[in-house]
Amino acid sequence: MTPQEELRALLQETAEHLRYYQELGITNFGEIFIPQDLPAVTAEATRPMTQAVSEPLPIPPKEIETMPETKNTVPDSFSLFGETAPLAPEQQVSDDSLEKIRADLGDCQRCKLWKTRTNIVFGEGNAKADLMFIGEAPGADEDASGRPFVGRAGQLLTKMIEAINFKREDVYIANILKSRPPDNRNPEADETKSCIPFLFRQIAVIRPKLIVTLGNPATQGLLETKVGITKLRGEFQDYPRFPGIKVLPTFHPAYLLRSPDKKREAWEDLKKVRAFLQGGA
Ligand code: URA
């Protein structure tokens, strides 16, 4: 890289970083203020200085298959749902589709949560997405609307997605559970056990390159591990259940709303997502 290219890359990264913080509503860093009217602090703003800064980072074509080095393969894993064969029987529905999965789910009463939910939250987005986000369970807004991540945490998730130059509709968003637990308590083992086979089928149909798990219950539920998010976050995980699909755990947006000091680490994770999907993690 020439010094000019390095400077250009640095400027672009700084602009994106500032835009991310601005979108999260953070405009005051003590000495430093980001003006509220900062739509120009983007790649666009760096253009006059750098001439050659290109268009926003493109979403890569599906063919790019670069895998970053994997740090671990889920240490201390245990089997929550029986043997973790690469493809469990419930995943082996021939000619499966999201429509079939939704139809099979029906007006699900496989666990106790049907009694208190308003709507099933199946998941939504691009059925051919390279990138999937998985949270833990619907909250009140999601239960009311039947759509994942539409409340405050969802709005932050949308901003996080946009901060890495994707649109919400480019990705697929789902949860470990499709029904809201009362008072937003954590998913219980029997609920996860009945619900997660449908998520596995969704993953098998979509076959994303990367799944970002949001927070502890989502990470532990999907990876079938007891290891906590603080150990796993920011590290690409192999996913034995779906060889070839990587998992990157990061903080849940609801946690980021409560602990804004963690946004810096979440941004580091998001940059890894972007680099991975561009083929250069
Ligand atoms: N939190 C989640 O984990 N999922 C949602 O859909 C909304 C909030």
Side-chain angles (χ1 to χ4, degrees), residues 17-34:
H17 203 146
L18 286 175
R19 182 177 55 171
Y20 171 71
Y21 278 113
Q22 185 200 38
E23 283 173 345
L24 300 179
I26 302 170
T27 53
N28 182 351
F29 290 84
E31 300 272 299
I32 307 164
F33 287 85
I34 305 177

Side-chain angles (χ1 to χ4, degrees), residues 169-184:
E169 54 270 28
D170 295 328
V171 307
Y172 196 90
I173 304 174
N175 285 301
I176 299 286
L177 298 188
K178 300 196 189 309
S179 297
R180 181 191 183 202
D183 300 321
N184 299 340

Side-chain angles (χ1 to χ4, degrees), residues 4 23 33 37 124 133 141 220 223 234 259 264 274:
Q4 251 186 336
E23 283 173 345
F33 287 85
D37 55 346
E124 67 178 25
F133 287 86
D141 294 313
Q220 295 186 328
L223 293 175
S259 312
R264 196 174 294 273
R274 186 180 60 190

Side-chain angles (χ1 to χ4, degrees), residues 121 135-139 142 147-150 153 175 252:
V121 179
E136 66 186 76
E142 293 76 20
R147 297 182 54 212
F149 280 99
V150 291
N175 285 301
H252 194 289

